[in-house]
């Protein structure tokens, strides 16, 4: 089969396909709370990662769906990335994934159907890694290739984590480095180094299963995953949901290898500018921060990015120990903290 570059058949890439936060607000405006469903613990009013329904007996069902266009050229890896990203929403709520069904759109007149099979094989491989079946799904003939999952999970009510429950003086942690959007743009432009390609793919296919473990720590007060709105966008949601502000320690934020080199070459996705235009007025920068670099890095859209969570001071050592035993010791230092509501939602410090 002749080599096909999937990214050339999509106008967006991964979670960079997301509708901007500002436009999404306009779409969802006026829907209101679903008061007629008292067992619905989490709906769309909180901009959280998944819907959660109380099913009694101290447990709740988590339901989520996520899908996007190719962010890599390899069909198998595209399936793995999209699947890992979809399952992440369950982990971000503190839950255990149970089952997934596939969402597949394929331009059957443009791309070989054998590649669609490889996408599904990649998705199934990640589901096996997560210990769940890929049990079915739905497919359509579409102008661009699309793949993702609808995932069902389970969580104990006392372990449920939301994105709007942080508290003042909580510490902020992030479990993956930033820069996927920058590297994927370099790939699309044909300038991405092979070693950076490998790093990017490994980052995007790594499951956020540590979220299920973090849920057992009462001192973990809030959690979300960083995806298409970038670190700033998802932190804005976390802070505004609790009517708080946040400080970010720029030098502590982990960054993928090679990303700063591409930023220096002004390589970044259009979605970065789109994100900044949605929430830029809510951000301030302290003296000593490289603002040009931060503007490119902090709103960079992530695909299956890390978990962003808040921790009470008395639970710091427990969380650090848990991260270490999960082979995430390199992310055991806080990247910021929650503070009382300030003039700006987020202040970026050196």
């Amino acid at each position: 089969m002749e080599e096909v570059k999937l990214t050339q058949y999509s106008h967006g890439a991964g979670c960079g396909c997301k509708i901007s936060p500002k436009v999404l607000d306009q779409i969802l405006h006026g829907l209101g709370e679903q008061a007629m469903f008292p067992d619905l613990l989490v709906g769309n009013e909180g901009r959280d990662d998944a819907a959660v329904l109380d099913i009694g007996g101290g447990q709740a069902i988590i339901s989520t769906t996520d899908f996007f266009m190719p962010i890599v050229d390899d069909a198998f890896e595209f399936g793995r990335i999209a699947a890992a990203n979809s399952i992440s929403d369950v982990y971000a709520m503190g839950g255990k994934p149970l089952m997934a069904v596939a969402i597949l759109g394929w331009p059957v007149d443009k791309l070989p159907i054998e590649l669609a099979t490889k996408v599904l094989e990649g998705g199934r491989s990640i589901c096996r890694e997560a210990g769940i079946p890929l049990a079915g799904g739905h497919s359509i003939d579409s102008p661009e290739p699309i793949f993702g999952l609808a995932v069902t999970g389970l969580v104990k009510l006392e372990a449920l984590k939301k994105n709007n429950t942080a508290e003042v003086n909580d510490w902020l942690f992030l479990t993956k480095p930033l820069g996927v959007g920058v590297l994927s743009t370099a790939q699309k432009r044909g300038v991405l180094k092979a070693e950076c390609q490998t790093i990017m793919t490994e980052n995007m296919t790594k499951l956020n299963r540590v979220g299920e473990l973090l849920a057992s720590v009462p001192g973990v007060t809030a959690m979300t995953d960083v995806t298409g709105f970038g670190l700033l966008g998802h932190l804005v949601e976390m802070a505004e949901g609790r009517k708080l502000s946040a400080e970010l320690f720029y030098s502590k934020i982990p960054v993928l290898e090679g990303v700063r080199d591409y930023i220096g070459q002004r390589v970044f996705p259009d979605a970065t500018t789109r994100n900044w235009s949605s929430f830029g007025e809510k951000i301030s920068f302290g003296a000593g921060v490289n603002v040009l670099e931060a503007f490119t890095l902090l709103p960079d859209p992530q695909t299956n990015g890390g978990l962003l969570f808040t921790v009470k001071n008395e639970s710091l050592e427990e969380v650090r120990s848990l991260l270490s035993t999960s082979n995430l010791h390199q992310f055991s230092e806080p990247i910021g903290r929650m503070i009382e509501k300030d003039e700006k939602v987020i202040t970026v410090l050196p």
Side-chain angles (χ1 to χ4, degrees):
M1 190 190 313
E2 184 179 349
E3 183 181 2
V4 175
K5 293 186 179 298
L6 286 183
T7 56
Q8 301 306 310
Y9 289 85
S10 62
H11 76 276
C15 287
C17 300
K18 273 189 171 185
I19 292 174
S20 75
K22 184 178 293 185
V23 174
L24 182 61
D25 283 341
Q26 294 173 358
I27 292 172
L28 298 178
H29 179 72
L31 287 181
E33 297 183 12
Q34 302 186 60
M36 67 180 68
F37 301 101
D39 292 332
L40 183 65
L41 303 179
V42 182
N44 61 27
E45 67 282 350
R47 306 289 193 270
D48 221 320
D49 297 293
V52 182
L53 186 74
D54 188 344
I55 58 172
Q59 296 192 107
I61 284 287
I62 301 172
S63 182
T64 183
T65 183
D66 211 322
F67 52 90
F68 47 63
M69 290 164 278
I71 191 169
V72 293
D73 291 320
D74 183 274
F76 182 78
E77 294 297 348
F78 170 43
R80 284 171 53 80
I81 292 164
N85 179 75
S86 301
I87 296 170
S88 179
D89 286 342
V90 173
Y91 291 133
M93 306 299 295
K96 176 182 178 63
L98 298 177
M99 180 180 67
V101 293
I103 300 161
L104 176 69
W106 204 254
V108 295
D109 60 335
K110 299 177 184 176
L111 290 172
I113 59 172
E114 292 86 354
L115 289 181
T117 299
K118 288 185 177 295
V119 171
L120 287 169
E121 288 174 351
R124 182 173 286 119
S125 75
I126 284 291
C127 287
R128 282 197 300 267
E129 189 177 328
I132 65 173
L134 181 55
H138 182 66
S139 61
I140 62 169
D141 185 355
S142 63
E144 296 178 288
I146 298 169
F147 182 66
L149 305 177
V151 188
T152 302
L154 190 67
V155 65
K156 294 180 180 179
L157 293 183
E158 68 266 21
L160 174 63
K161 302 300 179 184
K162 302 179 184 180
N163 69 352
N164 62 356
T165 48
E167 299 178 8
V168 174
N169 294 325
D170 284 353
W171 296 102
L172 277 164
F173 286 79
L174 178 65
T175 64
K176 286 186 183 182
L178 301 182
V180 162
V182 169
L183 296 185
S184 64
T185 302
Q187 173 194 243
K188 201 159 189 175
R189 294 185 186 179
V191 298
L192 185 65
K193 297 176 181 178
E195 58 268 29
C196 292
Q197 173 77 60
T198 300
I199 290 169
M200 178 183 73
T201 302
E202 288 177 350
N203 192 71
M204 291 189 293
T205 54
K206 187 173 184 177
L207 288 169
N208 281 322
R209 63 170 80 246
V210 71
E212 185 182 351
L213 303 177
L214 289 167
S216 65
V217 181
V220 174
T221 55
M223 187 155 58
T224 190
D225 59 350
V226 178
T227 56
F229 300 158
L231 174 59
L232 287 182
H234 291 285
L235 182 53
V236 165
E237 289 181 335
M238 182 177 279
E240 288 188 328
R242 192 64 167 176
K243 295 182 172 57
L244 297 175
S245 290
E247 293 178 337
L248 277 178
F249 311 145
Y250 190 67
S251 63
K252 299 294 185 181
I253 296 171
V255 182
L256 285 168
E257 183 179 337
V259 167
R260 287 191 164 94
D261 291 337
Y262 290 111
I263 289 177
Q265 300 170 42
R266 304 310 298 145
V267 174
F268 61 90
D270 292 340
T272 296
T273 304
R274 176 208 67 187
N275 282 342
W276 183 259
S277 68
S278 294
F279 48 68
E281 73 279 358
K282 301 175 182 180
I283 315 300
S284 66
F285 294 93
V289 176
N290 183 336
V291 176
L292 183 60
E293 181 186 271
F295 163 81
T296 308
L297 182 64
L298 298 182
D300 184 56
Q302 304 304 289
T303 297
N304 192 33
L307 296 175
L308 178 67
F309 62 96
T310 54
V311 182
K312 287 182 173 297
N313 192 66
E314 56 266 30
S315 296
L316 277 178
E317 291 310 312
E318 184 178 3
V319 164
R320 283 173 171 147
S321 176
L322 192 154
L323 290 172
S324 180
T325 57
S326 300
N327 293 319
L328 296 171
H329 57 275
Q330 67 269 41
F331 306 111
S332 61
E333 290 302 317
I335 65 162
R337 68 185 183 114
M338 307 303 293
I339 60 174
E340 296 280 1
K341 185 172 176 57
D342 203 352
E343 180 182 352
K344 297 291 185 178
V345 180
I346 301 173
T347 299
V348 184
L349 302 174

